[in-house]
Amino acid sequence: MPGKVDASLSSLSFSLNEPRAALPFFNLHCVCFCWIGFASKMMSTVHQLQCSDPVPSDVEIAQSAKPHPIHRVAEAFGILSSELNPYGSTRAKVKTSILMRLQNSPPGKYVVVAGMNPTPLGEGKSTTTIGLAQSLCAHLHRPAFACIRQPSQGPTFGIKGGAAGGGYSQVIPMDEFNLHGTGDIHAITAANNLLAAAIDTRIFHECTQSDEALYRRLTAELKNFTPIMRKRLEKLGISKENPKDLTPEERSRFARLNIDPDTVSWRRVTDVNDRMLREITIGQGKDEKGLTRKTGFDISVASELMAILALSKDLTDMRARFGAIVVAKSVSGELITAEDIGCAGAMAALMRDAIEPTLMQTLEGTPVLVHAGPFGNIAHGNSSIIADQIGLLLAGPNGFVLTEAGFGADIGCEKFFNIKCRTSGLKPDAAVVVATVRALKFHGGVEPSKAGIENVEALREGCSNLIRHILNIHKFGIPVIVSLNHFATDTPAELELVKELVRGATGAFDVVVSKHWAKGGAGAVELAEAVIRATQNVKANFRMLYLDTDSLKTKIEKICKEIYGAAGVEYLNDTAEKLEEFERRGYGSFPICMAKTQYSFSHDPSLKGAPTGFIVPIRDVRVNCGARFVFPFLGDISTMPGLPTRPAFYGIDIDGETGVITGLS
Amino acid sequence: MPGKVDASLSSLSFSLNEPRAALPFFNLHCVCFCWIGFASKMMSTVHQLQCSDPVPSDVEIAQSAKPHPIHRVAEAFGILSSELNPYGSTRAKVKTSILMRLQNSPPGKYVVVAGMNPTPLGEGKSTTTIGLAQSLCAHLHRPAFACIRQPSQGPTFGIKGGAAGGGYSQVIPMDEFNLHGTGDIHAITAANNLLAAAIDTRIFHECTQSDEALYRRLTAELKNFTPIMRKRLEKLGISKENPKDLTPEERSRFARLNIDPDTVSWRRVTDVNDRMLREITIGQGKDEKGLTRKTGFDISVASELMAILALSKDLTDMRARFGAIVVAKSVSGELITAEDIGCAGAMAALMRDAIEPTLMQTLEGTPVLVHAGPFGNIAHGNSSIIADQIGLLLAGPNGFVLTEAGFGADIGCEKFFNIKCRTSGLKPDAAVVVATVRALKFHGGVEPSKAGIENVEALREGCSNLIRHILNIHKFGIPVIVSLNHFATDTPAELELVKELVRGATGAFDVVVSKHWAKGGAGAVELAEAVIRATQNVKANFRMLYLDTDSLKTKIEKICKEIYGAAGVEYLNDTAEKLEEFERRGYGSFPICMAKTQYSFSHDPSLKGAPTGFIVPIRDVRVNCGARFVFPFLGDISTMPGLPTRPAFYGIDIDGETGVITGLS
């Protein structure tokens, strides 16, 4: 029986330009029996789409699709029912215990989906990730997991709208995907703000109580210090267990953190685009004894906790990283951590469920792992390591994980390689870089309103942007496939020009015109075949751009020169001293996470194409001791977006009878 | 026939260790076949406990219990699997469609669990609600639903700790109950803060754009107004559909809300005890053009959205109430609503899943419906109408809903009757009032530290508090059973005194000493039997304290005099004028929701027992147009608690290997 399934599979794949001429051999190789069973099981939820022309609106397509019960998708892709925590019928968290069960399984191919520098026109990176996954699964019968970020609710109700893909390449149900998910961002908001309240209240209590009163209240009724208190005692070099045994001097050191209010760097967060919270003064209530302080709110996905969630390898690792978060300095210059505040355990308790990725599905019934979504401008903009690992082990040696890297490859890919892969130890096999003729013309100087008109000169000019991204990725030793996402206005001459130019200038593995937006997985078959061939035929030789042991300045300069094309780096203000301080404090081995604009290779959003000769200004530099990266600021980076005059929420409503949400995009 | 079933039930309840030895008798009673089927099905998850003595800690008991898969509890109590949205294996949302299916079913008995005025000693109202439900189900084989509030995370990490009950009467898993639940409070936070951001950003955009520019941006690319915009146009008396057709004057009226920043009453919320956010100044960022404003954060459960959730009868009702929320006045004195801001539909979309109650279970496998949890001081402090309705229809004519009313009966019960029952039309059958000997002595003037020492005089004095609560509830026409929750320090003389005094003074249906904390459902059998008898033998004649058509002042005065025991009411500041304004604006029919201290019948927390002769000062008065009540302030009511020097989070941590959370209480 499995043989029969296999024969039909191989004939299928044969008819598709024979990327797997070797498939017939499968029948002879009993080792592959497992995978054959898998492929057959997989087909129980995977299906191809009947696409309409013209393509209906995203919401029409999404709401006309009937998702499978999520436990069926899970089962089809090898997740045991005991490894699933359902949230309703179409979302489920996947328990991390699955990593233990599959630890000896051979992994799938690891493909990162990145982009050229984004433009106001929209290039469709998420749409490509999903369309490609649909194509691999439903059309080429390869297990494939799309690993994507949970979207912030800020943009959903603000300018951008949702992030579930588009056209016939979408995650469904799109309302569940765009609103709440399985609550991970809410957990981050709760944990982040618990720490913030704990810091300010600690300052308040220390200002209003003597050392002895503080100590008495902190240790009241305790026979022994709590495990959390013991962590602080350890830091202070005190090994006593009974609160009664501390000397007065030890009591003061334990109880009085002596936080300098001007150094508190931990901000509050909300998952709303609320510009009026960017800078605020707190503590103006009549009972707060005049302890006012300037601070502000960031959007929740900009919280260090989100970066930590995305980079943690397990709960123990996440808990330890929370403890290491530096929130302020003491008056005498010591670093005060979340552990010192006594709050890291409670934060981890709040985030316990958030560490499990969420399984959803595409329009073609293929699996999607949604997990984490750190802000791309100031954090690393990539979905979680845990989701990628689960996907790789489930996909198996014939399967794929397609993981999306936010913004252009200068941000998303560089950080994917140098931060995410460095942390996880996983090695990517290939990169897909998304581009469009329209966006390339924009980088060649064309106004957005004229991007739909043939303009070969501007296109030639704009290709420089795409070409540099490809050459950059080649420096990391992996093959690149370009997905040229098709728009109705693209002319044959334009498409041909891009293919020729890019292939010639870069030796990219392939440049493929892809139509998954209009045709679902069927529209990305050529792209999927290219990905299969690249991962089969090219031996990737993944390497980092810099070593852990390089100095922080060397790391920064390598990124600026080799990735951005800069002539040099200029350290403004006290950034050089700060970098030295970070190295003295032991953070020299951390990778670099650039806080920069996504619109240009450079620090200047107006420099389109592939600028050269510029000097990158380092205006500020900070360190995330929990997420473990140093982040230099190349310009003003907003960590709290605003709402436009007509925000997306103006069109969103709900049908009280049916519960159907209208107007989400 | 019900009598006969009862007979078999009572024999059942005698043989506590073989609860189903009597089951064969059931077959003889054909009329009750349905219910017998139910009872027998119910027994598939319900079980009695083996209790240890001394009683272990709450967390030890909770973590040693193994909850049933929640779909089994659902099935045992008549919820179809298609009516369940699981969240993990031990929580599930119950779809409101169940109300349609059961609309013609006869309901169960409706019992409110209230308390005497709370003291620092803890009386155990939640514990009683849960213990009583356990007793009814697992010991007397009556279907019973405990309907309780979702706890705020503020107290969980602050002073009070969790709210899952205690001893052998708890909701499990207690960590899932205390942290996140199924995300309803997070949805409230998100929707509340979306509206807040929308208000401030609208003020910002109106300050920086001409009428024409505002209008152009609001209606850009629209062929017809969106349904949400049409609601505002309707309010303005404009019936045109095409944005191009409005006159310049109409455009201005539509686009410029002209909000007076000093009148914005909508505050932001966070589910954290963050005292430094009580009063803040926002808008101090460099891009906000100096549009600073004083405002503040409340704890999320104090949001009007929480009160609305608890009082809504369905999604359509909730959506309409959101639209009616008044957030500010215009410069010319018009009321500006969430509908005018264009945000009410998006808020309802965010709250779509929150309208479904969450099913959990007690230690004895009996069902608990967790839903909503409005702040008792400024809102009505009762769980949701929807959960109670679902519970009543599922329980059926032999079953019970035990719904908890927050704080003392002067707040919780008065609001339960006059606000919640008025809104729902449901009529309660009985009230259980929780008291303890210790708390009664406290009301008789004893220090908390000496509450464990026999003191008959103080006890006699303190009983006045309990007696007045009972007499108050009798005014609403329903029988009262007192649950005197047993503590080891109570002496027989004390227990007897309370029974005698209270029965004599009030004619309460029964006064029962209850031991559910130490013995689970088995400890509350006598209480449960009293509840059964009261609802069977007493014909309740439920009536309201005041009519919808009474003036607002009459309503306030009836509550103050008849419930609080006041001699009169004094309207301070401009409260009398405000009440007149509310009546002019059409809010005169709203019920009253007193914002007062929970520690005394009066406005003064130091007045214990049953004070008389005092004049209640009305210091301020506001209206919630979405929740539909008028709330007078009798004193300073904090809507944002603080953290103590050693908050509960100091003991909370997680085991990274097992995911077990330690230190929650």
Side-chain angles (χ1 to χ4, degrees), chain A residues 229-239 253 257 323-326 328 334-341:
Chain A
M229 291 174 172
R230 260 180 253 139
K231 288 194 207 278
R232 171 151 175 82
L233 291 166
E234 210 173 292
K235 179 172 167 180
L236 300 174
I238 301 170
S239 58
R253 285 173 62 216
L257 302 179
I325 291 169
V326 171
E334 283 160 38
L335 301 183
I336 305 295
T337 64
E339 205 69 81
D340 292 323
I341 305 286

Side-chain angles (χ1 to χ4, degrees), chain B residues 227-523:
Chain B
I228 286 175
M229 291 174 172
R230 258 181 255 141
K231 290 196 186 24
R232 173 153 173 81
L233 290 166
E234 210 172 292
K235 179 172 167 181
L236 299 175
I238 302 170
S239 59
K240 299 172 184 173
E241 296 209 342
N242 187 328
K244 291 206 177 111
D245 297 341
L246 265 61
T247 66
E249 187 258 343
E250 288 171 336
R251 291 176 183 214
S252 297
R253 285 173 63 216
F254 172 77
R256 190 165 292 282
L257 302 180
N258 240 340
I259 294 170
D260 175 354
D262 292 336
T263 65
V264 176
S265 52
W266 194 254
R267 288 159 59 91
R268 290 165 177 83
V269 299
T270 176
D271 196 29
V272 177
N273 287 6
D274 195 348
R275 60 183 299 157
M276 290 296 160
L277 295 182
R278 286 170 184 161
E279 288 192 37
I280 65 174
T281 299
I282 62 169
Q284 297 177 317
K286 65 179 168 42
D287 298 327
E288 319 315 339
K289 312 203 188 232
L291 288 174
T292 61
R293 189 169 74 76
K294 277 214 169 190
T295 180
F297 278 69
D298 297 327
I299 189 111
S300 296
V301 293
S303 168
E304 183 177 351
L305 302 189
M306 179 58 101
I308 292 175
L309 175 65
L311 291 171
S312 292
K313 69 169 197 268
D314 55 30
L315 203 49
T316 305
D317 183 29
M318 185 172 78
R319 167 66 182 85
R321 286 170 179 265
F322 284 177
I325 290 170
V326 171
V327 299
K329 286 183 183 174
S330 73
V331 172
S332 57
E334 283 160 37
L335 300 185
I336 305 295
T337 64
E339 204 70 81
D340 293 322
I341 305 286
C343 197
M347 291 160 67
L350 279 166
M351 295 273 294
R352 179 184 61 175
D353 298 341
I355 207 167
E356 299 173 346
T358 298
L359 180 70
M360 294 188 72
Q361 64 193 290
T362 69
L363 286 167
E364 297 189 2
T366 71
V368 179
L369 289 170
V370 187
H371 203 209
F375 213 54
N377 302 80
I378 62 147
H380 66 294
N382 282 269
S383 61
S384 84
I385 286 175
I386 288 178
D388 287 1
Q389 279 173 323
I390 291 175
L392 286 166
L393 295 176
L394 285 168
N398 284 289
F400 292 83
V401 159
L402 309 166
T403 192
E404 191 189 342
F407 292 144
D410 56 317
I411 296 185
C413 249
E414 185 272 310
K415 294 177 181 177
F416 171 76
F417 297 136
N418 283 322
I419 301 176
K420 187 175 172 183
C421 293
R422 189 184 299 267
T423 305
S424 69
L426 295 173
K427 294 182 178 179
D429 296 287
V432 171
V433 176
V434 174
T436 68
V437 165
R438 289 152 31 112
L440 291 170
K441 282 188 277 191
F442 177 85
H443 273 279
V446 165
E447 291 290 305
S449 62
K450 296 186 179 153
I453 303 165
E454 185 177 87
N455 186 335
V456 172
E457 287 65 42
L459 182 61
R460 186 184 299 275
E461 176 70 25
C463 275
S464 62
N465 185 270
L466 175 58
I467 288 167
R468 186 182 288 168
H469 284 297
I470 298 165
L471 293 173
N472 282 347
I473 294 172
H474 282 166
K475 292 178 184 171
F476 294 88
I478 63 170
V480 176
I481 304 100
V482 173
S483 174
L484 200 53
N485 287 355
H486 185 258
F487 278 76
T489 52
D490 299 348
T491 67
E494 289 178 323
L495 293 169
E496 267 320 300
L497 176 71
V498 177
K499 286 188 182 186
E500 263 185 51
L501 252 183
V502 169
R503 279 196 190 121
T506 66
F509 183 82
D510 208 344
V511 181
V512 182
V513 177
S514 199
K515 299 186 175 177
H516 42 271
W517 181 81
K519 296 180 189 300

Side-chain angles (χ1 to χ4, degrees), chain B residues 80-142:
Chain B
L80 307 179
S81 65
S82 60
E83 290 163 347
L84 217 59
N85 262 330
Y87 277 61
S89 61
T90 50
R91 286 163 291 176
K93 281 189 167 289
V94 181
K95 296 184 188 168
T96 53
S97 61
I98 198 170
L99 289 169
M100 282 293 285
R101 175 171 68 87
L102 299 175
Q103 61 183 322
N104 296 319
S105 303
K109 300 294 183 190
Y110 195 26
V111 178
V112 59
V113 180
M116 56 182 289
N117 286 94
T119 73
L121 298 160
E123 293 74 48
K125 207 157 57 234
S126 305
T127 307
T128 304
T129 309
I130 294 158
L132 181 53
Q134 291 183 153
S135 190
L136 284 163
C137 271
H139 302 263
L140 304 182
H141 309 102
R142 297 290 198 117

Side-chain angles (χ1 to χ4, degrees), chain B residues 587-641:
Chain B
Y587 309 135
S589 64
F590 285 1
I592 298 296
C593 187
M594 291 292 198
K596 78 179 276 282
T597 175
Q598 68 266 39
Y599 295 116
S600 169
F601 272 110
S602 77
H603 57 283
D604 176 356
S606 69
L607 297 181
K608 302 295 171 205
T612 53
F614 55 92
I615 304 288
V616 173
I618 309 293
R619 298 177 189 282
D620 191 10
V621 59
R622 300 183 202 158
V623 59
N624 273 346
C625 297
R628 294 185 200 145
F629 53 66
V630 167
F631 53 122
F633 281 76
L634 312 194
D636 259 359
I637 303 296
S638 171
T639 48
M640 173 56 87

